[in-house]
Amino acid sequence: MMSISENLKKIKSEIPPGVSLVAISKTKPKDDILKAYETGHRIFGENKIQEMTRKWEELPKDIQWHMVGHVQRNKVKYMAPFVTLIHAVDSLKLLNEINKEAAKNQRIINCLLQVKIADEETKYGINIDETKAILSSEAYQKMENVKVIGLMGMATLTENEEKIKNEFRFLKSAFKSLKEQQPLFTTLSMGMSGDYKIALEYGSTMIRVGSFIFGERNYN
Ligand SMILES: *Cc1c(COP(=O)(O)O)cnc(C)c1O
């Protein structure tokens, strides 16, 4: 088995310049994160706000923490002081809560809207019309402490590469067309351990990779 630092080195050799790598450390202990940190890696992602907040408290402060999981509005306050990017925003109400908590912390918090591209019921996200409605709403335009800088998507978990390609192709084209109206749009977050190579072919600018770097997760 390869080490965390070898895995990171391998994946970094495969991603083109300009693409960022979020190392998804959910369920993994601090020591594993430190092993990645010692190689110079600084961007980590978690899917539970309490777990991320605990790790933020205990680990070096120059780590950039990304929240990649579904966000409950009543928990935004815990991460508002430090979170770098929230990937899975799926409503104006949530955006409004992030704006409010960001203002309390005198920060501007970057967010992505999660678009549902998979056909699995278990995956969150909104459709393109809802995305456009949020971005063009007066409410969003008045928010001074959040910036929507792009889109995030998760492909269906399948062996069928054509299906994954179609889903990523769809998200890429939606991103491109929204970008024409949205000067802040820079980031297309798509691709995980099983499909990041395909996501890169389809124009991902940010991949979220967990098990490929840290090994399989145990959920107890
Ligand atoms: C867990 C998770 C990942 C990483 O998954 P791996 O298959 O372990 O790479 C990426 N994105 C989200 C939203 C996740 O919850």
Side-chain angles (χ1 to χ4, degrees):
M1 217 177 91
M2 295 209 304
S3 67
I4 290 171
S5 70
E6 284 167 328
N7 294 339
L8 261 174
K9 202 164 154 193
K10 178 165 191 307
I11 195 161
K12 286 188 173 176
S13 73
E14 292 169 350
I15 59 184
V19 172
S20 22
L21 169 64
V22 185
I24 305 295
S25 48
K26 62 190 185 198
T27 79
K28 296 295 176 182
K30 279 188 296 177
D31 279 354
D32 284 4
I33 297 174
L34 284 171
K35 281 183 190 137
Y37 181 87
E38 279 155 18
T39 72
H41 195 76
R42 292 292 180 269
I43 309 174
F44 294 88
E46 293 281 333
N47 73 336
K48 296 211 166 73
I49 293 172
Q50 265 123 331
E51 181 176 349
M52 182 172 77
T53 303
R54 184 168 44 77
K55 287 173 173 172
W56 166 68
E57 284 166 353
E58 296 172 356
L59 285 160
K61 288 297 175 285
D62 62 341
I63 289 179
Q64 297 170 35
W65 292 103
H66 289 211
M67 173 44 55
V68 301
H70 184 68
V71 175
Q72 284 171 277
R73 266 181 286 148
N74 61 356
K75 292 188 180 155
V76 170
K77 57 178 177 280
Y78 302 116
M79 65 175 166
F82 68 91
V83 67
T84 298
L85 181 64
I86 302 175
H87 287 237
V89 176
D90 59 0
S91 72
L92 195 55
K93 271 187 167 172
L94 176 57
L95 215 46
N96 194 45
E97 179 69 16
I98 297 168
N99 185 54
K100 198 180 86 191
E101 294 298 329
K104 283 188 194 162
N105 288 278
Q106 293 165 302
R107 299 186 67 218
I108 292 173
I109 297 180
N110 288 335
C111 295
L112 306 175
L113 295 177
Q114 181 174 5
V115 175
K116 185 167 159 56
I117 52 173
D119 57 16
E120 294 153 316
E121 280 304 315
T122 51
K123 298 225 163 110
Y124 291 100
I126 53 181
N127 65 35
I128 298 300
D129 286 341
E130 291 167 310
T131 303
K132 287 182 183 158
I134 291 174
L135 292 168
S136 59
S137 68
E138 210 183 315
Y140 170 59
Q141 280 158 21
K142 282 189 182 153
M143 293 177 194
E144 292 183 339
N145 297 81
V146 280
K147 280 187 194 163
V148 176
I149 61 162
L151 302 178
M152 181 274 230
M154 289 172 90
T156 303
L157 189 61
T158 170
E159 300 283 304
N160 181 347
E161 280 203 14
E162 275 316 304
K163 184 169 173 60
I164 298 171
K165 285 180 182 176
N166 282 332
E167 291 172 355
F168 285 153
R169 189 187 293 116
F170 170 80
L171 191 59
K172 166 68 178 176
S173 85
F175 176 75
K176 260 180 88 177
S177 75
L178 286 168
K179 199 171 154 81
E180 288 168 16
Q181 318 287 324
Q182 299 292 329
L184 297 176
F185 264 40
T186 53
T187 305
L188 179 58
S189 165
M190 59 183 199
M192 321 199 331
S193 293
D195 57 21
Y196 71 87
K197 285 188 185 146
I198 305 174
L200 290 172
E201 275 176 53
Y202 286 88
S204 171
T205 71
M206 184 175 277
I207 58 175
R208 310 176 310 268
V209 179
S211 44
F212 186 92
I213 298 170
F214 296 108
E216 293 304 321
R217 288 176 291 273
N218 290 314
Y219 291 98
N220 296 314

